[in-house]
Amino acid sequence: MSAFNSKRYYPYQNFDLSLVAQDVSEHFKAQEFEVATVSSISGGWQISIHKGGMFKAVLGMKTALNIEIEPSGTGVTANAHVGILGAQVVPSVIMFFVAWPVLLTQIFGLVKQSKLDDEVLDVIGNSLQTRTITKVDAPRSAAMVAPEPGTNTCFCTNCGTQITPEARFCPGCGTKIR
Amino acid sequence: MSKPWFDAHTGHLIIDEYITSMDSFKNIMEDNIITDDELHCQAEKVAQLLKQLEEALPTSVKELATEALCELAVLNIIQQKSRENVFPHRN
């Protein structure tokens, strides 16, 4: 892991990351950031956010905070790092520039200082939470709704299936009953 | 007035802004081709400038300049090595 990136894992399986990219884009456009989004062949998205003052141009090219959002097995990962606005890789002409490591450190320092990386990773987390299809977390369990007085009928709080008070798993959805 | 190395307001290094207006850089960016002659010529130019700098600088400032050049070289080496660690199959 590089010293110049911020990474976060989200335990959500979301099959349309374009909606997350759209949420992030709208959030930062509302704050007058210049935003560029590019999809990747792996089903992920790269979002670049740039604002004058924080992101200095290097060799005539606009730098930005580039965020890669990728599906990652059981969830989604987001990786934020300094790059070039709208470009998926830093051009070699900048990589070989003798002062690039100094500039990279300075620009990433301002990103950390303003907590812009935390903000963007939080926006992604909130978007995933809102739009997600499945949350992947600890083994699922559900509480059982107490039986009606005078009856022996209980229901699974996950799917609503009627279950017996002795049931350890819901016959409808398989959820473990606490 | 001499060219500043850092932006007084942001503290950013601004040497790259002078590079974009240099003919040697513009030529490379225009055709994206680097010939042996261009490489040789640029290396000669740098060596010549460093010689002029060495002769012009007073001893105390020369030591500082030597240290800055050496530390910059070390930074570039560790940056490259760091990239190799993150992307071991690149380069």
Side-chain angles (χ1 to χ4, degrees):
Chain A
M1 177 156 153
S2 163
F4 301 112
N5 68 1
S6 298
K7 204 169 184 177
R8 203 175 287 180
Y9 171 78
Y10 308 90
Y12 296 104
Q13 286 185 334
N14 187 304
F15 300 101
D16 192 358
L17 290 176
S18 66
L19 297 173
V20 178
Q22 188 184 319
D23 286 345
V24 175
S25 177
E26 283 170 6
H27 177 91
F28 285 98
K29 275 182 182 168
Q31 294 180 49
E32 297 180 345
F33 275 83
E34 189 175 341
V35 181
T37 54
V38 185
S39 62
S40 69
I41 51 170
S42 57
W45 282 80
Q46 179 182 292
I47 307 158
S48 294
I49 59 172
H50 166 94
K51 202 178 207 179
M54 181 181 293
F55 294 101
K56 178 196 181 302
V58 176
L59 295 176
M61 285 171 253
K62 277 184 184 174
T63 59
L65 185 65
N66 284 355
I67 308 102
E68 287 147 11
I69 312 172
E70 295 285 341
S72 164
T74 57
V76 172
T77 56
N79 186 12
H81 54 93
V82 172
I84 301 301
L85 183 67
Q88 291 190 313
V89 291
V90 177
S92 58
V93 70
I94 289 183
M95 290 298 295
F96 296 141
F97 174 43
V98 71
W100 171 241
V102 177
L103 285 163
L104 177 63
T105 308
Q106 289 186 318
I107 296 167
F108 195 70
L110 285 177
V111 166
K112 294 298 285 180
Q113 197 180 335
S114 64
K115 298 192 168 140
L116 184 63
D117 55 336
D118 287 338
E119 184 180 347
V120 75
L121 294 175
D122 287 346
V123 172
I124 292 167
N126 291 338
S127 174
L128 281 165
Q129 197 171 16
T130 307
R131 297 180 179 278
T132 201
I133 294 165
T134 311
K135 183 177 182 193
V136 184
D137 51 15
R140 288 190 305 165
S141 65
M144 178 175 64
V145 175
E148 294 281 330
T151 72
N152 213 17
T153 307
C154 305
F155 297 93
C156 169
T157 56
N158 189 52
C159 69
T161 300
Q162 186 174 328
I163 51 177
T164 63
E166 299 80 26
R168 293 179 63 200
F169 294 92
C170 169
C173 65
T175 299
K176 190 177 179 184
I177 305 297
R178 281 187 265 125
Chain B
M1 188 179 143
S2 68
K3 293 174 178 172
W5 290 358
F6 291 90
D7 184 296
H9 179 63
T10 63
H12 281 146
L13 192 64
I14 51 174
I15 286 174
D16 67 291
E17 288 170 23
Y18 309 136
I19 294 170
T20 50
S21 60
M22 289 168 67
D23 288 339
S24 48
F25 181 75
K26 281 182 190 167
N27 289 342
I28 292 165
M29 292 306 285
E30 270 171 20
D31 58 12
N32 208 25
I33 297 167
I34 296 142
T35 64
D36 287 349
D37 278 350
E38 279 174 332
L39 190 60
H40 184 74
C41 184
Q42 189 67 21
E44 284 288 325
K45 198 184 283 180
V46 172
Q48 199 58 41
L49 283 167
L50 287 173
K51 277 180 192 165
Q52 283 180 33
L53 193 64
E54 187 178 28
E55 284 165 18
L57 288 175
T59 308
S60 60
V61 183
K62 189 186 158 193
E63 279 176 15
L64 194 62
T66 305
E67 192 180 351
L69 279 171
C70 292
E71 294 291 2
L72 182 60
V74 170
L75 176 60
N76 270 275
I77 292 165
I78 60 174
Q79 159 81 354
Q80 291 298 322
K81 296 302 286 179
S82 163
R83 281 193 71 229
E84 284 172 24
N85 291 343
V86 178
F87 306 109
H89 303 299
R90 285 194 187 172
N91 299 328

